[in-house]
Amino acid sequence: MNDMMYRKETDQRLPQLARYDALTRLPNRALFYESLRKIIKQAEINQRIVSILYLDIDNFKSINDTLGHALGDELLRQFSLRLLECLRIRDMIARLGGDEFGCILITPDGSGDAGIVASKIREALREPFMLPGHQVTVTASIGISVYPTDSLDADTLIRNSDTAMCRSKSSGKDTYRFFTAEMNVRAIKKLDQENALRQALDRNEFVLYYQPKMELSEGGRITGVEALIRWNRPGYGFVAPLEFISVLEQTGLINRVGAWVIHSACKQIAEWRHSGVGEIPVSVNVSGRQFSQGNLSRDVIRATQENNVEPELLEFELQTERALRENSIGSDMLELELTESSLMTHAKKTIDILRRLKAIGIRISIDDFGTGYSSLAYLKRFPVDVLKIDRSFIMDVMTNPADAAIATAIIGMAHSLDVKVVAEGVETVEQFDFLRVRGCDEIQGYYLAQPLPAIEISKLFLRGNKVIKPVRSPIL
C-alpha cells in the first residue's frame, strides 16, 4: 500500500519537476518558453508590450572554481531570491540553465519600464551575498528584447535578448543593452548618466543653491531659504534637477544623496552662524523613496552632531526634549519638505515617521500642496507646520478664477488648522499683492530671488536682509 501511495505521489510530482528548477525552485526553460508564448497571445489581444530580460552572472565560473560548486549553488539560490524582490507579482522569472536567468515583464506603459527594472536589478546586486565563510559581490549582464517591436515570435524574442546580453558582456559587463539600435542608444545614454551620478557624490559634483523665502507681514523679512540641489557635471555644466532626480529615485541613489543634502544644509547653517551672518533656517526637500525607505531621523541626528553648534540654539527656539538638547545644532532650523503624494501613500506609516521627526525638532512642510489627492481628515492628523501652494495655482492666479479660488481656499483652510502657508513660484507684483491681501504668510519665487549660492545668501543677510531682483536663469 505504501509503495502504491509513494508511486502515486511521484507520478503527481513528475510534471512539476519537469517544469521547475530543482535548485532555485523557479520555473525552468521549458516553462519559460511556454509561458512567453501564452503571454504574447494575450498581449496581442490586449495590445500590451512584453519585455524579455536575459541575465547572465558575470564571472560565475571563477566563483565556482574558487569556492566550489556547493557555494556556487548557494549563490544561485540567493541570486534568484534577490531577483524576485525586484519584480512585480505579475512578472515572471525563470532559471534558464547554469547561471542564466530570464524575466518576462508585461509593460503597459512602454518598453522603458524594462530599463528601469534592469537598473533596479543592478542596484539590488550592489549588496554582497553572504555565503558560509565568504562574502561575495557579483554583477550581471542583461539583454532586453521587446514584443512587438523586435519580433512577434517567442523563440526569436528570447534569442534577441540573448544577443543583447552578449553585447552587454562585450561592453564591459555589469550593464544592460536593448536589442534594437534606437533603444540601445537611449539605454547607453541613460546608463552613462547613471554611472556618472554614482561617481558624482564621491567627486563633490553636487552643490546646494538656496532660494530665499519672505514673510508678507512685518516689513518683508527674509525668514529662511530652501536648499535646492544642483549637479555640476564635468563637460556638461549645471544639469537641471528634472534631468537627474528621477534617475536617483530609480537607482536608489536618492537615499545617499538625500543624506548628503541634509548634512550639507546643516553644515551651511553652522557656517552662516559662526561667520556672523546669522541663524538662517533651511528647508530641505525629501523624496518619497527617501521618506519611506531611508532613515531620516538617523541622518538628521548624525548631520547635526557632526557640525558642533552650541546647544543654546536649541533652547532658544524649541520646547525640546533631553535627546534634542544633546544634539549640536538647532533642528528647528532645518525644515523637511515632503511631497503630498508621499504623505498620502501610507498614511499610518507616514504619521509614525513624522512624529519621530517632530520629536527631534524637525519642522514639516508639505510641498506642492493641492496637486495630489488631499484628505483633510489625514491632514488634521499629520503634525504639519507649513503648506506650500504649488506654483501651478500661482502662475495664472490673476487670470484664472478657479486658481484664485483654490489658492484662497488653501490659505483659509491652513490657517483654520493653525498651519502656515507659503506660495511658490511668485514672479510678479500682481501675484505678490494678491497673496498679501488674502493673508498668505510667506512667498518664494523669482519676484523675490532666484536660487543663489551660499555666498550670495551671506551677502543678502549682511546688507540688511534686502533682496536685489535677479536675472532669470533657465537652470538655477
Side-chain angles (χ1 to χ4, degrees):
M1 186 69 175
N2 288 338
D3 288 343
M4 290 180 63
M5 291 180 61
Y6 176 78
R7 192 176 299 118
K8 184 177 180 180
E9 289 178 2
T10 302
D11 291 342
Q12 291 175 343
R13 291 180 59 199
L14 280 176
Q16 182 176 359
L17 292 173
R19 295 157 61 87
Y20 288 85
D21 175 58
L23 178 64
T24 63
R25 298 186 179 180
L26 294 175
N28 60 17
R29 178 181 289 268
L31 182 54
F32 184 79
Y33 275 72
E34 179 185 330
S35 300
L36 180 57
R37 293 187 185 100
K38 292 180 180 178
I39 290 172
I40 287 175
K41 287 182 180 179
Q42 294 172 353
E44 183 179 2
I45 297 171
N46 300 323
Q47 295 184 328
R48 296 293 182 92
I49 292 173
V50 180
S51 299
I52 296 89
L53 276 63
Y54 202 108
L55 297 88
D56 183 271
I57 301 176
D58 297 325
N59 304 315
F60 181 74
K61 184 178 183 301
S62 65
I63 295 175
N64 257 347
D65 293 343
T66 304
L67 303 181
H69 288 275
L71 290 187
D73 287 347
E74 176 60 24
L75 176 61
L76 290 173
R77 278 190 288 266
Q78 293 188 25
F79 184 87
S80 64
L81 292 175
R82 197 83 61 95
L83 291 182
L84 285 169
E85 293 174 356
C86 297
L87 301 181
R88 300 161 298 188
I89 294 177
R90 66 184 180 189
D91 298 327
M92 179 182 182
I93 182 169
R95 184 186 178 198
L96 304 180
D99 60 333
E100 295 181 342
F101 294 80
C103 302
I104 302 174
L105 312 178
I106 302 173
T107 52
D109 298 326
S111 56
D113 287 2
I116 294 173
V117 173
S119 292
K120 188 176 181 181
I121 290 172
R122 292 177 63 244
E123 186 63 27
L125 297 180
R126 303 295 173 199
E127 288 292 323
F129 291 89
M130 308 307 295
L131 305 179
H134 298 275
Q135 181 174 299
V136 177
T137 301
V138 300
T139 59
S141 296
I142 305 172
I144 304 171
S145 64
V146 179
Y147 166 91
T149 307
D150 298 332
S151 178
L152 305 178
D153 174 68
D155 292 1
T156 304
L157 285 167
I158 294 173
R159 186 165 59 250
N160 289 346
S161 62
D162 188 9
T163 300
M165 184 274 293
C166 292
R167 291 181 187 172
S168 298
K169 290 283 188 185
S170 62
S171 298
K173 304 176 182 178
D174 187 23
T175 185
Y176 65 89
R177 290 288 184 269
F178 282 93
F179 177 74
T180 62
E182 182 182 352
M183 286 185 174
N184 224 20
V185 169
R186 293 202 301 266
I188 291 172
K189 181 179 179 181
K190 183 177 179 182
L191 189 58
D192 179 59
Q193 184 185 55
E194 179 183 322
N195 291 333
L197 281 169
R198 291 185 186 281
Q199 302 172 34
L201 207 54
D202 297 330
R203 294 178 177 178
N204 297 315
E205 294 171 8
F206 291 119
V207 294
L208 290 184
Y209 275 64
Y210 301 87
Q211 187 171 38
K213 293 184 288 186
M214 185 177 78
E215 198 167 50
L216 290 180
S217 61
E218 300 185 16
R221 181 176 61 92
I222 303 300
T223 58
V225 295
E226 178 181 356
L228 300 166
I229 191 170
R230 301 292 183 258
W231 180 21
N232 191 8
R233 186 178 180 184
Y236 292 80
F238 280 98
V239 180
L242 286 176
E243 295 184 25
F244 67 87
I245 294 297
S246 61
V247 180
L248 294 177
E249 288 270 11
Q250 293 163 10
T251 59
L253 291 170
I254 194 70
N255 291 335
R256 281 188 62 210
V257 174
W260 175 87
V261 170
I262 292 173
H263 184 275
S264 298
C266 289
K267 182 179 179 181
Q268 188 58 62
I269 292 171
E271 289 180 1
W272 278 326
R273 183 176 185 271
H274 288 306
S275 64
V277 172
E279 297 167 356
I280 305 177
V282 176
S283 300
V284 175
N285 286 284
V286 177
S287 75
R289 182 165 183 170
Q290 183 186 1
F291 180 73
S292 61
Q293 298 180 5
N295 193 326
L296 289 180
S297 300
R298 180 202 61 195
D299 292 340
V300 169
I301 291 172
R302 180 182 299 168
T304 55
Q305 288 178 341
E306 289 178 357
N307 284 284
N308 297 319
V309 175
E310 294 83 352
E312 291 86 82
L313 178 61
L314 302 176
E315 296 177 358
F316 179 74
E317 296 213 7
L318 291 177
Q319 297 177 356
T320 156
E321 299 176 0
R322 179 184 178 92
L324 181 58
R325 295 172 60 87
E326 293 173 355
N327 290 336
S328 52
I329 190 171
S331 295
D332 59 310
M333 304 298 284
L334 191 66
E335 179 179 316
L336 299 181
E337 293 189 359
L338 304 165
T339 63
E340 190 178 346
S341 59
S342 69
L343 284 173
M344 303 307 297
T345 302
H346 301 288
K348 186 178 184 304
K349 181 179 180 181
T350 293
I351 292 170
D352 291 340
I353 296 174
L354 291 181
R355 285 176 177 167
R356 287 201 298 270
L357 292 172
K358 293 289 288 184
I360 60 175
I362 302 301
R363 289 182 297 151
I364 305 296
S365 69
I366 302 181
D367 200 10
D368 302 331
F369 187 79
T371 59
Y373 300 95
S374 308
S375 168
L376 295 182
Y378 279 131
L379 188 57
K380 287 174 63 177
R381 295 166 58 194
F382 291 152
V384 172
D385 302 288
V386 180
L387 293 185
K388 299 189 77 174
I389 305 176
D390 185 66
R391 65 183 66 247
S392 64
F393 299 115
I394 304 302
M395 185 184 309
D396 299 320
V397 75
M398 303 306 299
T399 58
N400 188 327
D403 286 348
I406 290 172
T408 302
I410 291 175
I411 294 170
M413 177 197 66
H415 287 168
S416 70
L417 297 172
D418 198 25
V419 173
K420 185 181 292 186
V421 182
V422 178
E424 297 182 287
V426 178
E427 299 190 353
T428 68
V429 66
E430 291 81 11
Q431 294 168 346
F432 174 88
D433 288 337
F434 173 91
L435 294 162
R436 179 175 54 80
V437 169
R438 281 155 182 79
C440 185
D441 299 294
E442 297 179 2
I443 65 165
Q444 180 180 347
Y446 280 84
Y447 177 77
L448 178 63
Q450 70 179 25
L452 300 168
I455 185 65
E456 295 300 323
I457 296 294
S458 300
K459 293 177 181 178
L460 186 157
F461 276 81
L462 289 173
R463 65 171 173 256
N465 205 342
K466 295 179 180 178
V467 175
I468 297 177
K469 296 296 184 298
V471 177
R472 296 180 183 238
S473 164
I475 296 295
L476 304 180

